[in-house]
Amino acid sequence: QPVEATDDAFWDQFWSDTATSVQDVFALVPAAEIRAVREESPSNLATLCYKAVEKLVQGAESGCHTEKERQIVLNCCRLLTRILPYIFEDPDWRGFFWSTVPGAGRGGGDEDDENARPLAESLLLAVTDLLFCPDFTVQSHRRSTVDTAEDIHSIDSCEYIWEAGVGFAHSPQPNYIHDLNRTELLKLLLTCFSEAMYLPPSSDSSNTNPWVQFFCSTENRHALPLFTSLLNVVCAYDPVGYGIPYNHLLFSDYREPLVEEAAQVLIVTLDYDSSTSSSPTVDGTTTGTVMDDVDPPGPDNLFVNYLSRIHREEDFQFILKGVARLLSNPLVQTYLPNSAKKIQFHQELLVLFWKLCDFNKKFLFFVLKSSDVLDILVPILYFLNDARADQSRVGLMHIGVFILLLLSGERNFGVRLNKPYSVRVPMDIPVFTGTHADLLIIVFHKIITSGHQRLQPLFDCLLTIVVNVSPYLKSLSMVAANKLLHLLEAFSTTWFLFSAVQNHHLVFFLLEVFNNIIQYQFDGNSNLVYAVIRKRNVFHQLANLPTDSQSIQKGLQRKKKTPEPISRTNSQDGVSMEGSRPAAPAEPGTLKTSLVATPGIDKLTEKSQVSEDGTMRSLEPEASHLSPEGNPPTALSDGEPWSGEASHSRRDRRRLSSASSSGQWTPTPDWVMSWKSKLPLQTIMRLLQVLVPQVEKICIDKGLTDESEILKFLQHGTLVGLLPVPHPILIRKYQANSGTAMWFRTYMWGVIYLRNVDPPIWYDTDVKLFEIQRV
């Protein structure tokens, strides 16, 4: 039956009970009942929402001084967190919170401006006030009795920032009750923002989230202290605590849930498509101090604006150290297993790190200025290696590779990779002695040769990263050199080259890597030169690739049985690092969320040429042989064409199909000739022409069978004047586009959906942004 809004006795029972927790609310209010009320007595649902928001507004007004008021506020929070997803899933209800409730002013009839606010705005403003409520969510600065309690409207919330760090030096006493209350309020905020989950993916950038838009606007007087609080709470968190082993088993950590919520709220507020904005503060090209008033205004989203304006070195240092500490946490191997708390929110941290680099170029340059960037690189490589066999973690693979692609566009990243790799993170990769560049190449090789099939679209990206850093790699280890040649051998088999329309791009990328290293870093790279000499037949076969129809057909027939992964060239390859466990596939029954397709590498990157003095200039896009169509290559591992995610259009699927399926696309002699004639083999052929006779002569003269002598000879050799003129270095820099902005949105909400299981806020509601699948 419809219940009158004035029947306080009825409505108060929803929030006056003292002993509930958010889990209780989820148990006591089943989904079926919420949907039934929504369908059968909509006026009651409307009144319930309105009343709950009203209670929050009253709590924020009064400052929540009594235990009873705090209890009511928390219960209303939990109730709204429970109900909102069911309002968002129904298109007829979605606008409800953006309407004003007529006659709902406190006096019943008078409509003053304050009461004419849409419900959503009242709710968001109340929550932000409550997040800086003395003795409820922040430490009170007054030490007197309740009579002179601080007035919520007169306090300057910038003095109540939750944690020291960016722009705030004072570290408040930790108070676990405050942490719990903040966590519940942030959970409600996140639920408000989650309307985005109920709209199908669209790359239309005008499609902004009205909740986030209002929350991050100048209407929110707490925007700056809130942004700072969230960022500092995340970056200051140290899960290891005071370094006492197992202390997380003795004491409950109230900070961790708060840090997780803070990280999730932060990345959602920063969901902003930077490719559509030409704001100078965002791309970091302003001169003078960043805070100058002469700057044109940045994006309307204040959180993005604040993030793009951080500029002090000590702030960058604090953020980078914090993110690196948390990302490395799962890798911390101690002698006592499980002695340190293992955090689970590394995907949110990767999104946050991406946003920092994307919106604040000064931060990106700071990261690359010292070898601290390696503290981010190693955990990313660890996650990539660890997730490569797990279909449910394909999104994690993508974001890790995107971050490395972004970093690899900067010369400094390639230079930093030359630092020796001495920390031994337990990974199931071959033991090697070398640099971080070796680690990167060995992990990429492992992903390509032993990852699952869904990773195929990333091959272009992985090789682009290697191309971008290759001109700066001073000395590759023998293990890494062999891995690069192994990839070339695998990608240049006639079956692979002829079985999909863009597979030959991978060979072009690898040849570009060898050319860059030989032209720019010949002196230190005797291992690579030796590997090239040993595998010279691969290059000769490429140069003599048959182009007649008969040979093409024969090449395609060759792949009936899976070729044995190319023989291991080095005995030590078999040995993995100690403590490593092989990448495990997802447990059966694991949930995963679908992702939209990512743009092809030609859309993701823009070419820049590095001139003599090390500066870059952007190249006009040309119809180059290296711009792959935005399709993933056909699989190495089986003859089936790569099966795209559900969102691939049928046209794309047709273009993907290899000759082995219904014969839509077949390789022709003209097609093979069109790219074979462009294979950049001159430099390598010249090198082989000069060095092979010399190496053979040494072996005969000295009766050598020992490779160390040959390496010694190659180390002292030189090809000055013998190689073709060095080609200019080409870097493919990541460029923001609406395709990746859309990808990040679906990935981020998918992570948040799957991570919020206690209570399961969105579980079993009708989300549209992605599909939920069981592995």
Side-chain angles (χ1 to χ4, degrees):
Q1 297 302 309
V3 182
E4 281 301 311
T6 50
D7 183 353
D8 287 345
F10 174 80
W11 296 111
D12 284 351
Q13 63 182 343
F14 286 98
W15 31 79
S16 51
D17 187 13
T18 47
T20 54
S21 68
V22 66
Q23 285 78 6
D24 294 340
V25 171
F26 273 69
L28 294 169
V29 186
E33 279 186 28
I34 302 174
R35 288 192 175 114
V37 174
R38 188 182 70 195
E39 304 313 322
E40 290 153 32
S41 47
S43 68
N44 283 349
L45 183 59
T47 308
L48 181 65
C49 292
Y50 166 68
K51 285 279 190 191
V53 173
E54 191 184 41
K55 287 290 173 199
L56 290 180
V57 172
Q58 286 168 6
E61 289 282 317
S62 73
C64 283
H65 293 306
T66 67
E67 199 44 55
K68 184 166 188 264
E69 283 176 289
R70 290 173 198 164
Q71 200 55 58
I72 289 176
V73 162
L74 289 174
N75 285 340
C76 290
C77 249
R78 294 160 187 162
L79 195 64
L80 287 166
T81 302
R82 180 60 170 145
I83 294 171
L84 275 166
Y86 297 92
I87 288 193
F88 294 152
E89 73 174 4
D90 184 337
D92 296 338
W93 273 86
R94 211 166 285 145
F96 168 71
F97 269 84
W98 292 97
S99 59
T100 49
V101 183
R106 275 186 207 98
D110 62 320
E111 290 266 303
D112 62 25
D113 288 343
E114 190 49 39
N115 293 329
R117 269 197 187 284
L119 206 49
E121 295 187 2
S122 307
L123 170 54
L124 289 172
L125 293 176
V127 172
T128 52
D129 274 341
L130 287 163
L131 284 167
F132 292 102
C133 191
D135 292 326
F136 179 51
T137 48
V138 291
Q139 207 78 40
S140 170
H141 289 184
R142 295 261 171 101
R143 285 282 157 268
S144 54
T145 58
V146 182
D147 310 328
T148 54
E150 290 154 284
D151 170 24
I152 194 86
H153 293 290
S154 65
I155 71 169
D156 172 7
S157 44
C158 285
E159 295 173 9
Y160 289 89
I161 288 170
W162 302 348
E163 187 56 71
V166 176
F168 192 68
H170 168 69
S171 196
Q173 268 308 107
N175 179 321
Y176 80 93
I177 302 283
H178 294 175
D179 278 1
L180 290 176
N181 294 342
R182 292 164 178 174
T183 305
E184 300 230 32
L185 287 159
L186 290 180
K187 217 185 266 309
L188 174 55
L189 268 184
L190 196 59
T191 311
C192 291
F193 297 158
S194 70
E195 184 181 308
M197 280 196 212
Y198 298 90
L199 302 170
S202 106
S203 54
D204 176 14
S205 56
S206 64
N207 194 357
T208 47
N209 182 330
W211 295 84
V212 173
Q213 200 178 359
F214 179 80
F215 180 79
C216 297
S217 74
T218 48
E219 293 272 345
N220 177 359
R221 70 186 185 99
H222 302 294
L224 181 60
L226 248 178
F227 169 77
T228 313
S229 294
L230 295 173
L231 183 64
N232 291 354
V233 155
V234 172
C235 296
Y237 178 55
D238 184 1
V240 180
Y242 300 100
I244 310 161
Y246 299 107
N247 75 345
H248 65 288
L249 302 179
L250 307 177
F251 314 105
S252 226
D253 179 356
Y254 295 97
R255 214 5 89 112
E256 192 187 18
L258 174 65
V259 174
E260 282 192 14
E261 287 303 325
Q264 292 176 1
V265 169
L266 200 50
I267 60 177
V268 171
T269 52
L270 295 171
D271 176 21
Y272 179 82
D273 182 356
S274 60
S275 64
T276 57
S277 106
S278 53
S279 151
T281 48
V282 174
D283 66 23
T285 51
T286 46
T287 48
T289 65
V290 185
M291 294 311 254
D292 275 353
D293 292 337
V294 295
D295 281 352
D300 305 334
N301 178 324
L302 288 178
F303 277 40
V304 174
N305 209 333
Y306 297 144
L307 187 77
S308 69
R309 285 163 178 266
I310 297 171
H311 61 283
R312 295 191 332 188
E313 296 257 315
E314 56 268 42
D315 289 344
F316 287 155
Q317 186 64 31
F318 165 75
I319 294 172
L320 181 59
K321 278 275 179 280
V323 173
R325 176 195 321 116
L326 291 169
L327 284 178
S328 312
N329 162 269
L331 290 55
V332 176
Q333 281 301 53
T334 54
Y335 295 111
L336 306 165
N338 304 325
S339 64
K341 189 179 187 69
K342 233 186 184 168
I343 62 157
Q344 302 297 328
F345 55 98
H346 47 272
Q347 298 191 89
E348 293 93 321
L349 285 165
L350 289 172
V351 175
L352 179 60
F353 182 76
W354 169 270
K355 300 275 182 203
L356 280 156
C357 293
D358 194 20
F359 295 150
N360 190 323
K361 289 292 170 272
K362 291 189 169 74
F363 177 73
L364 177 61
F365 300 141
F366 176 84
V367 169
L368 292 166
K369 204 171 68 173
S370 72
S371 50
D372 287 351
V373 64
L374 303 174
D375 298 337
I376 300 284
L377 171 76
V378 172
I380 289 178
L381 291 175
Y382 171 86
F383 292 129
L384 290 177
N385 185 58
D386 190 52
R388 66 177 194 275
D390 181 347
Q391 291 237 358
S392 68
R393 292 200 281 165
V394 69
L396 170 63
M397 299 292 294
H398 275 77
I399 186 167
V401 173
F402 284 160
I403 289 175
L404 298 183
L405 179 65
L406 180 71
L407 295 174
S408 75
E410 307 297 335
R411 173 183 175 276
N412 264 352
F413 182 64
V415 174
R416 299 284 161 240
L417 290 177
N418 290 309
K419 188 175 177 184
Y421 174 70
S422 49
V423 278
R424 285 280 173 251
V425 173
M427 289 157 83
D428 59 324
I429 55 170
V431 175
F432 69 95
T433 306
T435 64
H436 284 75
D438 294 309
L439 177 70
L440 178 115
I441 288 168
I442 291 166
V443 169
F444 283 10
H445 171 270
K446 193 100 183 185
I447 294 167
I448 291 172
T449 55
S450 67
H452 60 78
Q453 217 166 311
R454 284 269 169 77
L455 299 180
Q456 296 253 322
L458 285 175
F459 290 3
D460 277 341
C461 263
L462 291 166
L463 293 186
T464 299
I465 294 165
V466 181
V467 174
N468 282 348
V469 301
S470 58
Y472 312 109
L473 304 184
K474 292 194 174 3
S475 66
L476 286 185
S477 69
M478 190 59 95
V479 177
N482 283 331
K483 294 301 184 202
L484 284 176
L485 280 143
H486 175 220
L487 289 177
L488 182 69
E489 207 169 346
F491 290 149
S492 60
T493 59
T494 50
W495 171 78
F496 184 73
L497 284 174
F498 297 158
S499 65
V501 68
Q502 66 304 320
N503 282 356
H504 59 279
H505 295 303
L506 299 171
V507 170
F508 277 88
F509 283 140
L510 283 162
L511 290 176
E512 207 178 326
V513 171
F514 296 131
N515 287 339
N516 281 341
I517 293 179
I518 291 165
Q519 290 279 20
Y520 292 100
Q521 299 289 352
F522 179 83
D523 287 354
N525 274 298
S526 51
N527 286 330
L528 183 82
V529 174
Y530 177 61
V532 167
I533 292 174
R534 273 190 37 203
K535 290 281 184 189
R536 55 191 178 276
N537 61 320
V538 179
F539 299 97
H540 291 304
Q541 278 165 7
L542 266 176
N544 303 317
L545 194 70
T547 54
D548 57 291
S549 304
Q550 203 182 349
S551 309
I552 292 175
Q553 283 316 311
K554 213 164 118 191
L556 286 168
Q557 295 311 310
R558 223 169 260 177
K559 165 81 181 188
K560 279 295 168 255
K561 54 182 199 310
T562 316
E564 184 263 329
I566 289 126
S567 57
R568 296 279 169 247
T569 41
N570 248 32
S571 51
Q572 69 185 55
D573 272 19
V575 192
S576 275
M577 301 188 172
E578 64 181 294
S580 66
R581 291 184 313 284
E587 293 282 312
T590 307
L591 288 180
K592 76 188 202 61
T593 53
S594 64
L595 288 164
V596 293
T598 50
I601 194 74
D602 55 329
K603 305 269 189 312
L604 262 180
T605 55
E606 144 186 89
K607 291 187 183 166
S608 312
Q609 202 170 316
V610 181
S611 44
E612 305 284 296
D613 58 358
T615 55
M616 292 200 189
R617 60 188 184 82
S618 172
L619 290 185
E620 286 305 308
E622 20 122 21
S624 136
H625 59 273
L626 264 169
S627 66
E629 291 84 274
N631 300 337
T634 308
L636 279 173
S637 49
D638 51 32
E640 278 301 289
W642 179 83
S643 63
E645 296 284 2
S647 55
H648 261 298
S649 66
R650 206 169 267 120
R651 188 194 79 243
D652 275 4
R653 250 187 235 138
R654 255 212 322 282
R655 282 167 56 203
L656 287 174
S657 59
S658 65
S660 60
S661 53
S662 53
Q664 295 283 336
W665 173 83
T666 40
T668 61
D670 286 351
W671 171 78
V672 179
M673 274 309 295
S674 73
W675 55 262
K676 180 192 165 181
S677 60
K678 298 187 180 129
L679 282 167
L681 286 164
Q682 307 78 332
T683 302
I684 294 171
M685 288 310 185
R686 188 79 187 103
L687 172 129
L688 292 173
Q689 204 185 338
V690 174
L691 292 180
V692 170
Q694 297 184 3
V695 169
E696 283 176 341
K697 183 172 184 303
I698 293 185
C699 292
I700 294 164
D701 290 356
K702 298 201 174 168
L704 280 187
T705 50
D706 178 18
E707 56 184 49
S708 62
E709 289 289 331
I710 303 171
L711 283 168
K712 208 170 285 173
F713 162 73
L714 290 174
Q715 263 161 17
H716 299 302
T718 172
L719 291 175
V720 173
L722 297 171
L723 292 179
V725 178
H727 52 285
I729 297 176
L730 259 194
I731 300 289
R732 291 172 187 79
K733 288 174 79 96
Y734 165 81
Q735 55 171 2
N737 58 60
S738 50
T740 41
M742 186 60 240
W743 185 89
F744 271 97
R745 183 169 308 142
T746 48
Y747 169 62
M748 169 182 81
W749 280 113
V751 168
I752 290 172
Y753 176 98
L754 293 173
R755 296 257 299 111
N756 282 276
V757 286
D758 181 29
I761 301 182
W762 299 281
Y763 188 69
D764 271 351
T765 59
D766 186 17
V767 294
K768 293 280 194 304
L769 186 61
F770 42 77
E771 291 168 23
I772 290 104
Q773 299 134 346
R774 283 190 185 280
V775 177

